[in-house]
Structure formats: C-alpha cells, structure tokens
Short mmCIF file of all heavy atoms in Angstrom, two decimals:
data_model
loop_
_atom_site.label_atom_id
_atom_site.label_comp_id
_atom_site.label_asym_id
_atom_site.label_seq_id
_atom_site.Cartn_x
_atom_site.Cartn_y
_atom_site.Cartn_z
N LYS E 749 108.30 -104.04 14.52
CA LYS E 749 107.42 -104.90 13.74
C LYS E 749 106.04 -105.02 14.38
O LYS E 749 105.02 -104.90 13.70
CB LYS E 749 108.05 -106.29 13.57
CG LYS E 749 107.22 -107.22 12.70
CD LYS E 749 107.93 -108.56 12.50
CE LYS E 749 107.10 -109.50 11.62
NZ LYS E 749 107.79 -110.81 11.43
N THR E 750 106.03 -105.26 15.69
CA THR E 750 104.74 -105.37 16.39
C THR E 750 104.01 -104.05 16.37
O THR E 750 102.79 -103.99 16.14
CB THR E 750 104.96 -105.84 17.84
OG1 THR E 750 105.53 -107.16 17.83
CG2 THR E 750 103.65 -105.87 18.61
N LEU E 751 104.74 -102.96 16.59
CA LEU E 751 104.12 -101.64 16.61
C LEU E 751 103.49 -101.29 15.26
O LEU E 751 102.41 -100.69 15.20
CB LEU E 751 105.15 -100.58 16.99
CG LEU E 751 105.66 -100.63 18.43
CD1 LEU E 751 106.79 -99.62 18.64
CD2 LEU E 751 104.53 -100.36 19.42
N LYS E 752 104.13 -101.68 14.20
CA LYS E 752 103.64 -101.34 12.86
C LYS E 752 102.28 -101.95 12.59
O LYS E 752 101.45 -101.36 11.87
CB LYS E 752 104.65 -101.80 11.81
CG LYS E 752 104.36 -101.27 10.41
CD LYS E 752 105.50 -101.59 9.46
CE LYS E 752 105.26 -100.95 8.10
NZ LYS E 752 106.38 -101.21 7.16
N ASN E 753 102.02 -103.11 13.16
CA ASN E 753 100.74 -103.78 12.96
C ASN E 753 99.62 -103.22 13.82
O ASN E 753 98.45 -103.48 13.57
CB ASN E 753 100.88 -105.28 13.25
CG ASN E 753 101.77 -105.98 12.25
OD1 ASN E 753 101.82 -105.61 11.07
ND2 ASN E 753 102.50 -106.99 12.71
N LEU E 754 99.99 -102.45 14.85
CA LEU E 754 99.00 -101.98 15.81
C LEU E 754 98.77 -100.48 15.79
O LEU E 754 97.80 -100.00 16.40
CB LEU E 754 99.41 -102.40 17.23
CG LEU E 754 99.49 -103.91 17.48
CD1 LEU E 754 100.14 -104.20 18.83
CD2 LEU E 754 98.11 -104.54 17.42
N LEU E 755 99.63 -99.74 15.12
CA LEU E 755 99.56 -98.28 15.13
C LEU E 755 99.26 -97.71 13.75
O LEU E 755 99.61 -98.30 12.73
CB LEU E 755 100.88 -97.67 15.63
CG LEU E 755 101.50 -98.25 16.90
CD1 LEU E 755 102.81 -97.54 17.21
CD2 LEU E 755 100.53 -98.14 18.07
N SER E 756 98.61 -96.54 13.75
CA SER E 756 98.45 -95.82 12.49
C SER E 756 99.81 -95.30 12.06
O SER E 756 100.77 -95.29 12.84
CB SER E 756 97.48 -94.65 12.68
OG SER E 756 98.07 -93.66 13.52
N ARG E 757 99.92 -94.87 10.84
CA ARG E 757 101.21 -94.41 10.32
C ARG E 757 101.76 -93.23 11.13
O ARG E 757 102.95 -93.20 11.48
CB ARG E 757 101.07 -94.00 8.84
CG ARG E 757 102.38 -93.56 8.20
CD ARG E 757 103.42 -94.65 8.29
NE ARG E 757 104.70 -94.23 7.77
CZ ARG E 757 105.09 -94.39 6.50
NH1 ARG E 757 104.26 -94.95 5.62
NH2 ARG E 757 106.27 -94.01 6.11
N GLU E 758 100.92 -92.27 11.48
CA GLU E 758 101.36 -91.10 12.23
C GLU E 758 101.87 -91.47 13.62
O GLU E 758 102.93 -91.01 14.05
CB GLU E 758 100.22 -90.08 12.34
CG GLU E 758 99.77 -89.45 11.03
CD GLU E 758 98.93 -90.38 10.17
OE1 GLU E 758 98.48 -91.45 10.69
OE2 GLU E 758 98.72 -90.07 8.99
N VAL E 759 101.10 -92.30 14.34
CA VAL E 759 101.51 -92.71 15.68
C VAL E 759 102.75 -93.58 15.60
O VAL E 759 103.67 -93.45 16.43
CB VAL E 759 100.36 -93.45 16.39
CG1 VAL E 759 100.82 -93.97 17.76
CG2 VAL E 759 99.15 -92.53 16.56
N TYR E 760 102.80 -94.45 14.61
CA TYR E 760 103.98 -95.31 14.44
C TYR E 760 105.24 -94.47 14.24
O TYR E 760 106.28 -94.74 14.87
CB TYR E 760 103.77 -96.24 13.25
CG TYR E 760 104.98 -97.08 12.90
CD1 TYR E 760 105.30 -98.20 13.66
CD2 TYR E 760 105.81 -96.75 11.83
CE1 TYR E 760 106.42 -98.98 13.36
CE2 TYR E 760 106.92 -97.51 11.51
CZ TYR E 760 107.22 -98.63 12.28
OH TYR E 760 108.33 -99.39 11.98
N ASP E 761 105.16 -93.46 13.40
CA ASP E 761 106.33 -92.60 13.15
C ASP E 761 106.79 -91.93 14.44
O ASP E 761 108.00 -91.81 14.69
CB ASP E 761 105.99 -91.54 12.10
CG ASP E 761 105.83 -92.14 10.71
OD1 ASP E 761 106.28 -93.29 10.50
OD2 ASP E 761 105.27 -91.45 9.83
N GLY E 762 105.85 -91.50 15.28
CA GLY E 762 106.21 -90.87 16.55
C GLY E 762 106.88 -91.85 17.50
O GLY E 762 107.87 -91.51 18.15
N PHE E 763 106.35 -93.05 17.59
CA PHE E 763 106.94 -94.06 18.46
C PHE E 763 108.34 -94.44 17.99
O PHE E 763 109.27 -94.57 18.80
CB PHE E 763 106.05 -95.31 18.50
CG PHE E 763 104.93 -95.25 19.52
CD1 PHE E 763 104.13 -94.12 19.64
CD2 PHE E 763 104.67 -96.32 20.35
CE1 PHE E 763 103.11 -94.07 20.57
CE2 PHE E 763 103.65 -96.28 21.29
CZ PHE E 763 102.87 -95.15 21.39
N VAL E 764 108.50 -94.63 16.69
CA VAL E 764 109.79 -95.04 16.14
C VAL E 764 110.84 -93.95 16.34
O VAL E 764 112.01 -94.23 16.63
CB VAL E 764 109.66 -95.39 14.64
CG1 VAL E 764 111.04 -95.54 14.00
CG2 VAL E 764 108.88 -96.69 14.48
N ALA E 765 110.41 -92.70 16.22
CA ALA E 765 111.34 -91.58 16.44
C ALA E 765 111.86 -91.61 17.87
O ALA E 765 113.06 -91.40 18.11
CB ALA E 765 110.65 -90.26 16.14
N ALA E 766 110.98 -91.87 18.83
CA ALA E 766 111.39 -91.92 20.24
C ALA E 766 112.30 -93.12 20.49
O ALA E 766 113.27 -93.03 21.24
CB ALA E 766 110.16 -92.00 21.14
N ILE E 767 112.00 -94.26 19.86
CA ILE E 767 112.84 -95.45 20.01
C ILE E 767 114.22 -95.21 19.42
O ILE E 767 115.25 -95.56 20.03
CB ILE E 767 112.17 -96.67 19.33
CG1 ILE E 767 110.90 -97.08 20.09
CG2 ILE E 767 113.13 -97.85 19.26
CD1 ILE E 767 110.08 -98.14 19.39
N SER E 768 114.26 -94.61 18.24
CA SER E 768 115.54 -94.33 17.58
C SER E 768 116.38 -93.37 18.41
O SER E 768 117.61 -93.54 18.53
CB SER E 768 115.30 -93.74 16.19
OG SER E 768 114.60 -94.67 15.36
N ASP E 769 115.76 -92.38 18.99
CA ASP E 769 116.48 -91.42 19.84
C ASP E 769 117.05 -92.12 21.07
O ASP E 769 118.18 -91.86 21.49
CB ASP E 769 115.53 -90.30 20.26
CG ASP E 769 116.20 -89.25 21.12
OD1 ASP E 769 117.13 -88.57 20.64
OD2 ASP E 769 115.82 -89.13 22.31
N ARG E 770 116.27 -93.02 21.63
CA ARG E 770 116.72 -93.78 22.80
C ARG E 770 117.90 -94.68 22.44
O ARG E 770 118.88 -94.78 23.19
CB ARG E 770 115.54 -94.62 23.31
CG ARG E 770 115.76 -95.30 24.65
CD ARG E 770 114.48 -95.98 25.09
NE ARG E 770 114.17 -97.17 24.30
CZ ARG E 770 112.95 -97.56 23.97
NH1 ARG E 770 111.91 -96.84 24.31
NH2 ARG E 770 112.77 -98.67 23.27
N GLU E 771 117.80 -95.32 21.30
CA GLU E 771 118.88 -96.20 20.86
C GLU E 771 120.16 -95.42 20.55
O GLU E 771 121.28 -95.90 20.81
CB GLU E 771 118.43 -96.99 19.61
CG GLU E 771 117.34 -98.01 19.91
CD GLU E 771 116.78 -98.66 18.65
OE1 GLU E 771 116.99 -98.10 17.56
OE2 GLU E 771 116.15 -99.73 18.77
N ALA E 772 119.99 -94.23 20.00
CA ALA E 772 121.16 -93.40 19.69
C ALA E 772 121.92 -93.01 20.96
O ALA E 772 123.14 -92.82 20.93
CB ALA E 772 120.72 -92.15 18.95
N LYS E 773 121.23 -92.93 22.06
CA LYS E 773 121.84 -92.58 23.35
C LYS E 773 122.24 -93.83 24.14
O LYS E 773 122.72 -93.71 25.28
CB LYS E 773 120.87 -91.75 24.19
CG LYS E 773 120.48 -90.41 23.56
CD LYS E 773 119.44 -89.70 24.41
CE LYS E 773 119.01 -88.40 23.79
NZ LYS E 773 117.96 -87.70 24.58
N SER E 774 122.01 -95.00 23.54
CA SER E 774 122.30 -96.29 24.20
C SER E 774 121.51 -96.45 25.50
O SER E 774 121.98 -97.07 26.46
CB SER E 774 123.81 -96.40 24.47
OG SER E 774 124.54 -96.41 23.26
N GLU E 775 120.32 -95.91 25.51
CA GLU E 775 119.45 -96.04 26.68
C GLU E 775 118.51 -97.23 26.47
O GLU E 775 118.14 -97.56 25.34
CB GLU E 775 118.63 -94.77 26.90
CG GLU E 775 119.48 -93.56 27.23
CD GLU E 775 118.67 -92.28 27.32
OE1 GLU E 775 117.46 -92.31 26.97
OE2 GLU E 775 119.23 -91.25 27.72
N LYS E 776 118.14 -97.84 27.57
CA LYS E 776 117.22 -98.98 27.52
C LYS E 776 116.12 -98.83 28.56
O LYS E 776 116.36 -98.31 29.64
CB LYS E 776 117.97 -100.29 27.75
CG LYS E 776 118.94 -100.66 26.64
CD LYS E 776 119.57 -102.03 26.89
CE LYS E 776 120.50 -102.42 25.75
NZ LYS E 776 121.10 -103.76 25.96
N ILE E 777 114.94 -99.31 28.20
CA ILE E 777 113.82 -99.29 29.14
C ILE E 777 113.63 -100.69 29.71
O ILE E 777 113.49 -101.67 28.97
CB ILE E 777 112.51 -98.84 28.45
CG1 ILE E 777 112.62 -97.38 28.01
CG2 ILE E 777 111.33 -99.01 29.41
CD1 ILE E 777 111.36 -96.85 27.33
N GLN E 778 113.67 -100.76 31.02
CA GLN E 778 113.39 -102.01 31.73
C GLN E 778 111.95 -101.93 32.21
O GLN E 778 111.61 -101.09 33.05
CB GLN E 778 114.34 -102.16 32.92
CG GLN E 778 114.09 -103.39 33.78
CD GLN E 778 114.96 -103.40 35.03
OE1 GLN E 778 115.96 -102.67 35.12
NE2 GLN E 778 114.57 -104.21 35.99
N SER E 779 111.08 -102.75 31.64
CA SER E 779 109.66 -102.61 31.91
C SER E 779 109.00 -103.94 32.21
O SER E 779 109.35 -104.97 31.63
CB SER E 779 108.97 -101.95 30.71
OG SER E 779 107.62 -101.67 30.99
N SER E 780 108.03 -103.91 33.14
CA SER E 780 107.25 -105.09 33.49
C SER E 780 105.79 -104.67 33.62
O SER E 780 105.46 -103.80 34.43
CB SER E 780 107.75 -105.70 34.79
OG SER E 780 106.96 -106.83 35.14
N PHE E 781 104.94 -105.27 32.81
CA PHE E 781 103.52 -104.92 32.82
C PHE E 781 102.81 -105.69 33.92
O PHE E 781 102.83 -106.92 33.94
CB PHE E 781 102.90 -105.24 31.46
CG PHE E 781 101.54 -104.63 31.27
CD1 PHE E 781 101.40 -103.34 30.80
CD2 PHE E 781 100.40 -105.37 31.54
CE1 PHE E 781 100.14 -102.78 30.61
CE2 PHE E 781 99.15 -104.82 31.36
CZ PHE E 781 99.01 -103.52 30.89
N VAL E 782 102.18 -104.97 34.84
CA VAL E 782 101.49 -105.61 35.97
C VAL E 782 100.04 -105.95 35.60
O VAL E 782 99.58 -107.07 35.82
CB VAL E 782 101.54 -104.71 37.22
CG1 VAL E 782 100.77 -105.37 38.38
CG2 VAL E 782 102.98 -104.42 37.61
N GLY E 783 99.33 -104.99 35.05
CA GLY E 783 97.94 -105.25 34.67
C GLY E 783 97.17 -103.98 34.44
O GLY E 783 97.67 -102.87 34.66
N ILE E 784 95.92 -104.14 33.98
CA ILE E 784 95.02 -103.00 33.73
C ILE E 784 93.93 -102.99 34.80
O ILE E 784 93.22 -103.97 35.00
CB ILE E 784 94.38 -103.11 32.33
CG1 ILE E 784 95.47 -102.98 31.26
CG2 ILE E 784 93.32 -102.04 32.14
CD1 ILE E 784 94.96 -103.15 29.85
N ASP E 785 93.81 -101.86 35.47
CA ASP E 785 92.79 -101.71 36.50
C ASP E 785 91.43 -101.33 35.90
O ASP E 785 90.39 -101.83 36.31
CB ASP E 785 93.21 -100.66 37.53
CG ASP E 785 94.39 -101.11 38.37
OD1 ASP E 785 94.57 -102.34 38.54
OD2 ASP E 785 95.16 -100.25 38.84
N LYS E 786 91.46 -100.41 34.94
CA LYS E 786 90.23 -99.94 34.31
C LYS E 786 90.48 -99.67 32.84
O LYS E 786 91.56 -99.24 32.45
CB LYS E 786 89.72 -98.66 34.98
CG LYS E 786 89.17 -98.84 36.38
CD LYS E 786 88.63 -97.52 36.90
CE LYS E 786 88.05 -97.65 38.31
NZ LYS E 786 87.53 -96.34 38.81
N ALA E 787 89.46 -99.90 32.04
CA ALA E 787 89.50 -99.55 30.62
C ALA E 787 88.06 -99.18 30.23
O ALA E 787 87.22 -100.05 30.04
CB ALA E 787 90.01 -100.71 29.78
N ASP E 788 87.79 -97.89 30.15
CA ASP E 788 86.44 -97.41 29.90
C ASP E 788 86.37 -96.61 28.60
O ASP E 788 87.24 -95.77 28.33
CB ASP E 788 85.96 -96.51 31.05
CG ASP E 788 85.94 -97.24 32.38
OD1 ASP E 788 85.52 -98.41 32.41
OD2 ASP E 788 86.36 -96.64 33.39
N ILE E 789 85.34 -96.88 27.82
CA ILE E 789 85.12 -96.08 26.62
C ILE E 789 84.55 -94.73 27.04
O ILE E 789 83.56 -94.67 27.77
CB ILE E 789 84.14 -96.79 25.66
CG1 ILE E 789 84.73 -98.12 25.16
CG2 ILE E 789 83.82 -95.90 24.47
CD1 ILE E 789 83.80 -98.90 24.24
N VAL E 790 85.15 -93.66 26.58
CA VAL E 790 84.69 -92.32 26.95
C VAL E 790 84.01 -91.61 25.78
O VAL E 790 83.24 -90.67 26.00
CB VAL E 790 85.85 -91.46 27.51
CG1 VAL E 790 86.37 -92.07 28.80
CG2 VAL E 790 86.98 -91.34 26.49
N SER E 791 84.30 -92.03 24.56
CA SER E 791 83.62 -91.44 23.41
C SER E 791 83.70 -92.37 22.21
O SER E 791 84.60 -93.21 22.12
CB SER E 791 84.24 -90.08 23.04
OG SER E 791 85.55 -90.23 22.56
#
C-alpha cells in the first residue's frame, strides 16, 4: 500500500514481484534504517 503511493506503475510492479517471490519462499527481511549520509541531485 505504501509503495503504491510512492512508486510509478513500472517500478511498483518490479518491487511487488520481488516481494511476492520472497513471500513464496517464506523469506523475510530484517531491516533497520540508520540514516542518510548524502543526497545530491545529479541531473
């Protein structure tokens, strides 16, 4: 749901495909976001 609001249709489909594949294998990602060091516009 969150991804759908933030991604274009093409990127969303790619992300969902990877999530579905992970779920089919009963795999889980344990993740903790620490922070962003840099964020620069390049173009």
